[in-house]
Amino acid sequence: MKHKIFVKSKLFALAVVTICASIIAYNSYAYFTSVDTATNVITAGSIDIDLLEWADEGKTVPFPVDGINNVLPGMEVTKIAEVKNVGSGAAWIRVKIDKSIELAEGVDETADPENIIIDVNDTDWTLGEDGYYYYNSQLQPGETTVPLFTTVHFPTSMKPFYNNCKAVIVVTAYATQVINNGDFADEAQGWTDEDQT
Amino acid sequence: MIKRIKAVFVAFVVIAIALSCSLTAYADGTVTYVGGAEKYIFEPGSEYSPTDLFDGFKNVFPGEKRTQRVEVRNNYDADKRIDIYMRSLGAVEGSEEFLSQLTLTVTMLEDTKIFDAKADQKAGLEGWVLVGSLIKGGSTTLDLTLNVPETLGNEFRNAIGELQWQFKVEEFDIEPDDPAPPTGDSGVIMWIFASATCFVVMLYIILVARRRRTDEEQA
């Protein structure tokens, strides 16, 4: 009898130890896991500009593609040239102006493009040694520059052989990013995004 | 004397609160484990992805170096410790060309770099990496740096690259010898308030003992 009780006690103790050990072991393991995914996005910015030319002071009439006819010496023509930043990053802006005069057919003379006189804004723009006009400020997204020029006129001293000539003004605008690209426009590199009228 | 002690206690608590506020760090992105049905909350999200953690990596330009943080938190409302792991699934299809131009580093605990490769790669995050062992309210941070090369061409203007990170949590019952959260403000704040509590308790014991002695002497 005593032996039976002893064996039973041992078995009971063993059972208790086993149960305790399993509980400890169970609590040492994770009993729940969960997984989920984050989709992370990196985007690149852009530098993009629009060259705008207006035929009126109110900037409501775009300058005609075919130009303006029947301009006489001494006349002043409204032609407003400005640049708008339509990209997502701040930009440095520069503009090149190319002037030329095409004389009428049969006229055997040399035309002087300096007869095309443009009232360049030298307050907000600076003429560089390379012939480009550099905008003095950074142009933020959505902003438009102060106009580079607003009028074109021809002197009264123009000689008669200029009759029926065609005065051509080609304006080309360039932009480059401001970030990590110099403190002034004329120090910047990587000029691209040409827009021309 | 008692009034002076009270004034000291109030000053101590005020200082403790002020210190705890100044220790809270701002995290750009957050991964919060909340358990239950929702499990995880990824913030801030974006117009591109509701789980987007990269708020600081938008509109990048050549030559830029951007940094941001991602905070990983345990807000599970239960007495559980969680081990939280992460791994990278790499670039989403179609994003490889753009992301392969960029270099991304991920550092945890301020000096352990767990990822340093092109952003389209899995690299050191190909397998599960333990980023934190957190009790309720605990957090840890990941510091991210994105390098955009100066040579990034115009063909990548307005490019969009998607990169997937996966997170896994294992829950455990809290053991008596569980370590404190590996990092994060909550650990320091806990010590501050624990110290304040001990101070208050000690003061109370001293005051009670003094009063009893006084009462006994008078008796």
Side-chain angles (χ1 to χ4, degrees), chain A residues 31 34 38 41 88 180 193, chain B residues 40 49 58-59 63 80 157 165:
Chain A
Y31 60 88
S34 171
V41 181
S88 66
N180 297 320
D193 292 300
Chain B
Y40 296 85
S49 161
K58 300 296 182 286
N59 205 33
K80 297 277 183 277
R157 281 187 296 183
W165 282 355

Side-chain angles (χ1 to χ4, degrees), chain A residues 32-35, chain B residues 33 40 82-85 167-171:
Chain A
F32 190 75
T33 61
S34 171
V35 179
Chain B
Y33 182 71
Y40 296 85
I82 64 166
D83 285 353
I84 186 162
Y85 300 81
F167 291 87
K168 179 177 77 171
V169 157
E170 293 178 343
E171 298 180 16

